[in-house]
Amino acid sequence: MPRSASLHSHTASSLSIAKLKAEKARLEADLAKARTVIEVQGKLSALLDQFATDSAPNQNGENTK
């Protein structure tokens, strides 16, 4: 293989690696955001459930709070 072809191949590989590393970093950031959203949704769901339970009428038809 001529030296210029080897250099081109090495440069193309380096470029591909750099692109993949950048994509990996972007995907990791997206994953972190998604995990945060899921955590917040879980907390919100628990809070809304608590509000629904607290404001549900008791056996006498009265609200508990």
Side-chain angles (χ1 to χ4, degrees):
M1 183 182 315
R3 181 161 170 75
S4 64
S6 175
L7 181 60
H8 176 69
S9 176
H10 178 69
T11 303
S13 294
S14 294
L15 245 171
S16 292
I17 290 170
K19 285 181 181 179
L20 289 171
K21 284 182 178 180
E23 183 178 15
K24 179 180 179 266
R26 181 187 60 80
L27 291 171
E28 286 174 340
D30 287 349
L31 179 59
K33 288 178 197 172
R35 285 180 172 157
T36 301
V37 167
I38 292 167
E39 181 182 346
V40 169
Q41 285 176 335
K43 290 177 181 180
L44 179 61
S45 176
L47 187 62
L48 290 173
D49 187 47
Q50 182 180 353
F51 283 142
T53 303
D54 289 349
S55 64
N58 62 17
Q59 292 178 349
N60 297 328
E62 298 170 351
N63 287 347
T64 56
K65 286 200 174 194

